[in-house]
Every structure is written in structure tokens, then in C-alpha cells.
Amino acid sequence: MVNLSRFDLNLLRVFDAVFEWNGVSTAARHLNLSQPAVSHALAKLRAELSDPLFVRQGNRLVPTPVANTIAVPVREALRRIETALASTTTFAPEHSTREFRIGIRATGETPRFSSLFTRVRDKAPNVRLASISFRRRDVYRLLASGECDVIIDIDLPHDDRLCRERLTSEPMAVVARFDHPAVRGGLSLETYLAADHVVASPRPRGAGLEDTVLGQAGLQRRIVARCQHAFTACQIVAGTDLFCTLPRRHAESIAQAWPLAMFDLPITVPANPVTVYWHRDSSTDPGNVWLRAQIARG
């Protein structure tokens, strides 16, 4: 058993950094410490825990089973300490050098992240923002460990450990090349169904909400391509007669970069709700509160 009364908790910060960055030198840069200082701290921690914790494979330090076992609890503990200390202070955005890590999926990054960065940059010029890709099954873990400060996504199943705030509901729109011959008089459902479609989704398969609504009416569109990113899909649209259906705000952002026309979706589809999530322990963190206020502005 480790005797906490004489255990140096700073060793856990070093462990967490080495685990995240897979190396001593990179961890040292992020901790603003010298490489020998990080190596010395890691050696002390190895002795305390009677385990090598990391073994070298090529240019990387690979965690041992013991390191993998303690990594998430250590990160969660560090995060809880940081949150507790942060709640006793105020957050001064004009002086802060904090980095906020925002979980956001590819379909939401284009319309939201750039505008959020502009707002944050105006009020907090030294604050850094990082857009983090995530899997929905990892939402709680990412927020609990502090790997993400907030996550922006659609409505997810309720979890008492998380807090949430509905931001907006986004209608869908259809994009086509600006000189598409079939939509000069507007986009009808008949034209929509007669066309070929490209889908933008990080999922390898699965129907979109518009496909579900069409299926309920006994209709089906013809999908001939599937892309991970909407920019790729719209690049295809700009050079073909294909259509792409996207959240309207996303479509508006991309239409500024490509020669595209945008139309209302010719079927009634429930608007996709957009929600921001955070861990309940972050509810009183002044920095997290400030960040959520910036996100809520648009």
C-alpha cells in the first residue's frame, strides 16, 4: 500500500502527462519541466508502485497493465482536485492562458468551432481552444477524466453524472451545384428522390433522419457515395448532379466555400437538437461556466 501521507501527488501529474503523450520529452514540454526532472519523477513513481509503468517500443513509451489500470482513476482524481481549486477563484478571460478542450463531431465543427473561436479570441486572447473528436460511448469518460471540458452533440441518453443544456434545434437543408439543371425552379420531392445522393457521416453505415422519415412514407432516396466529412461530400456535389443533405447551419458555412445552391428539404423532418454536456463536478468551475456562456451565444 502506498502511504499517502508521504506520497508526492506531483508524481501523478507527471504520470498523466507521460501516459497522454507517450514520451518523457513531450510530457516535459507540456508540463514546463526539464526532461531530467520528468525522468527523475517517473523513476520515483516506479519505485513507489513497484512497477516500470512504461516500457520503450521504438520512439514511444508504452504503458504496462498497471499503468493502464490506474490511468483513468488518476486523471479523474487530478481533474477533481483542479476543479475544486478552480471553484474557489474567479476566471478572468482577458488574463487567462487556459486551454479548453471541446468535444465536437465533424458535422458540427465547421459551423460552430470557428465562430466560437472568434468570440473567445475577442474576449480572451491568450485562451486556447482544441476541437476533440469523440465516440458517443466515451462521452462520460472524456468529461470525467477532463480530456474534454465540454461536449457538443445531439441529444444523448440521460446520465445523472452529466449536466446538459439545449443550445438550438437545426433544420436540414439540401445542397446542389449552383447550376444544377433540375433545381432551377426549386427543389421538389420528386426531384429529390430522382437524384443520386452523397451522405456525409463519420459512421460507416446507418440511415440518416431524413431516410427514416422517407421510409415511414414508403419512399427511399438513392445513395451512391458516403463520405466521412461534409467538405468532401460538397466537393463531390460541386462537380456533379448529386445532392447532399446537411444541417442548415453546416450547409450555409460550406456554401461560402463552394459554388453551391441551398434548398429547403422537401420533406418534414424533425430538427436535430444540439446540446452541450459537461460533468457535474465542473458546474461551478468559473472557467467552464464562462466557456459554456460563449457556446450558448451561438
Side-chain angles (χ1 to χ4, degrees), residues 17-92:
V18 174
F19 186 90
E20 179 173 4
W21 300 105
N22 303 118
V24 170
S25 58
T26 309
R29 286 199 300 272
H30 283 83
L31 292 170
N32 291 319
L33 296 174
S34 68
Q35 185 169 332
V38 172
S39 296
H40 178 67
L42 187 57
K44 288 180 63 177
L45 187 59
R46 282 166 163 160
E48 287 276 7
L49 300 182
S50 302
D51 189 87
L53 297 176
F54 301 95
V55 294
R56 183 164 296 283
Q57 289 187 6
N59 295 324
R60 300 171 65 247
L61 287 180
V62 178
T64 66
V66 169
N68 280 320
T69 298
I70 68 173
V72 171
V74 164
R75 179 163 291 181
E76 289 186 4
L78 291 173
R79 180 187 173 281
R80 287 175 182 269
I81 293 171
E82 291 170 352
T83 300
L85 295 175
S87 66
T88 67
T89 64
T90 58
F91 179 77

Side-chain angles (χ1 to χ4, degrees), residues 204-251:
R205 61 184 62 85
L209 187 57
E210 59 273 25
D211 296 299
T212 301
V213 173
L214 286 171
Q216 291 170 348
L219 303 172
Q220 185 177 12
R221 61 176 177 161
R222 188 167 59 251
I223 298 171
V224 299
R226 191 178 186 101
C227 302
Q228 297 181 63
H229 301 286
F231 264 103
T232 306
C234 288
Q235 186 176 17
I236 292 173
V237 168
T240 66
D241 286 340
L242 272 66
F243 291 158
C244 183
T245 304
L246 296 168
R248 175 170 288 277
R249 187 171 173 181
H250 202 173

Side-chain angles (χ1 to χ4, degrees), residues 150-169:
V150 297
I151 285 177
I152 301 173
D153 201 8
I154 61 174
D155 273 352
L156 300 175
H158 184 74
D159 188 327
D160 287 336
R161 300 168 296 180
L162 302 180
C163 300
R164 66 179 68 200
E165 180 181 352
R166 175 74 61 84
L167 297 176
T168 184
S169 293

